[in-house]
Amino acid sequence: MFEKFKANMMFNKFLGRSSIEGAYARVDESDSWYDTINTVHSSLEQIKKLPSELFEISSADGYKLKAIYYPCDSSNKTIIFIHGYKSHAERESAFPALFYRSLGYNVLIPYQRAHGISEGKYISFGALERSDLRLWVDKVNSLHSDGSIVIHGFSMGAGIALFSCNMEMKNVSHIIADAPCVSISDVLKSVCKNTFKKGYERVEKHATKRFIREFGISPSELDATKTVRESKYPILFTAGSTENMESALVELSNICPTPSRVVILDGCEHGNGMYKQTEAYQSAIVEILKQ
């Protein structure tokens, strides 16, 4: 019984809604992320000066989900940027959004359910967000029926993109998966183990049952090694070298039936590759978008 209580406590803290204001918050000059965070906020200031629209959709379970849309002249090419876990969507996406606009893309920046200006009680790491993503794809197609769509996800957002890559999504041409979450079962196990140490297996068991009860799917089904085998879109996999993801991403690339590539960014951590190795990062994106 006590393990069930701990599982519910962990579930609510880990997947429950919380403030996103700490994401990419300003840091002191002595911090190793100082330059990156400055670039984040400088990019946000730049993109906020551009014309934008606030879009809203209703999720299948009745939540109002919102996104910021930055049109690029008369372009019919659009990037949908899927942010990471408990992140501030606009801060995280501003720098890559400016890059994509320089390539002639419209940019749609959704706040995932239970984040920021979007409604929602729980984050489901893709169990429900996959359906939300398809609705955003439909929204873009309502604007540009003959256009093309690139899905760019980071961390949890990249996981959502990979868990969706075996689904038919009209006009989607490519997926960019930056430091993706590969397996939700592994994430759940890691959180339980790090939080409770001894006896975490029983807590994990109850947390898994709660996940299934809340979201209608087992965490074991949210596994990129299953969906990437059936991918319908070319995929670029990227990560920083300090994340130790190379072998996992190479494995995914090897089983992917569509054109794919793995780019490991030397000396980069989780989330700063696009800032520290900008040329390599952006060149890899341009190259795969040509396919």
Side-chain angles (χ1 to χ4, degrees):
M1 181 64 71
F2 194 47
E3 283 78 12
K4 185 176 181 180
F5 170 79
K6 290 194 288 187
N8 285 328
M9 180 181 69
M10 184 278 298
F11 185 95
N12 291 332
K13 182 177 181 180
F14 176 51
L15 297 178
R17 185 185 192 96
S18 65
S19 173
I20 60 171
E21 287 308 311
Y24 300 94
R26 296 281 189 178
V27 296
D28 188 77
E29 288 186 32
S30 61
D31 194 291
S32 63
W33 279 69
Y34 178 77
D35 290 339
T36 293
I37 297 300
N38 267 7
T39 302
V40 167
H41 286 273
S42 173
S43 300
L44 185 59
E45 290 172 6
Q46 291 179 58
I47 202 167
K48 283 288 190 179
K49 295 175 182 177
L50 301 176
S52 65
E53 298 177 59
L54 180 65
F55 287 168
E56 180 181 300
I57 59 173
S58 293
S59 68
D61 50 351
Y63 290 117
K64 293 179 180 178
L65 307 178
K66 297 184 179 182
I68 314 298
Y69 178 69
Y70 289 96
C72 184
D73 298 326
S74 57
S75 175
N76 66 351
K77 303 184 298 181
T78 304
I79 299 290
I80 300 178
F81 190 95
I82 317 175
H83 66 76
Y85 172 70
K86 294 189 176 180
S87 189
H88 190 292
E90 292 166 90
R91 291 179 193 165
E92 185 172 285
S93 61
F95 184 72
L98 289 172
F99 162 65
Y100 281 119
R101 289 190 87 259
S102 75
L103 299 180
Y105 283 84
N106 310 299
V107 180
L108 182 74
I109 306 171
Y111 275 89
Q112 300 301 308
R113 59 171 56 227
H115 288 82
I117 57 177
S118 285
E119 295 179 347
K121 185 176 181 181
Y122 292 117
I123 302 163
S124 73
F125 268 82
L128 304 178
E129 290 86 351
R130 294 180 302 170
S131 295
D132 301 340
L133 174 59
R134 295 187 75 170
L135 292 174
W136 285 122
V137 168
D138 291 343
K139 178 64 177 178
V140 172
N141 281 321
S142 73
L143 302 174
H144 310 287
S145 60
D146 61 344
S148 63
I149 300 170
V150 176
I151 297 171
H152 182 142
F154 169 67
S155 194
M156 180 188 75
I160 293 168
L162 293 184
F163 303 150
S164 307
C165 73
N166 61 343
M167 303 189 309
E168 291 284 356
M169 294 183 284
K170 182 182 176 182
N171 289 332
V172 170
S173 63
H174 297 79
I175 288 175
I176 315 295
D178 187 350
C181 173
V182 174
S183 165
I184 302 308
S185 289
D186 288 348
V187 170
L188 203 59
K189 179 178 180 178
S190 177
V191 172
C192 290
K193 187 175 182 178
N194 292 336
T195 304
F196 299 107
K197 309 293 191 297
K198 186 178 179 181
Y200 77 88
E201 295 93 343
R202 294 189 295 275
V203 177
E204 180 190 357
K205 181 179 179 181
H206 286 293
T208 298
K209 289 181 178 179
R210 173 78 184 277
F211 192 100
I212 295 171
R213 186 166 67 251
E214 292 286 352
F215 306 136
I217 187 174
S218 171
S220 63
E221 292 302 306
L222 297 169
D223 189 325
T225 60
K226 296 181 179 181
T227 54
V228 169
R229 289 181 186 277
E230 303 171 346
S231 179
K232 301 182 183 299
Y233 317 100
I235 303 175
L236 172 63
F237 302 93
T238 74
S241 61
T242 67
E243 298 184 82
N244 298 316
M245 293 190 68
E246 183 171 7
S247 60
L249 297 186
V250 168
E251 178 185 354
L252 289 175
S253 182
N254 287 340
I255 64 175
C256 185
T258 54
S260 65
R261 183 185 176 193
V262 176
V263 174
I264 303 300
L265 302 162
D266 187 46
C268 296
E269 303 171 54
H270 189 69
N272 68 2
M274 69 178 77
Y275 304 96
K276 292 185 67 175
Q277 295 284 358
T278 303
E279 184 176 352
Y281 187 88
Q282 295 181 349
S283 294
I285 290 174
V286 170
E287 184 175 325
I288 197 165
L289 292 183
K290 291 178 180 178
Q291 296 179 329

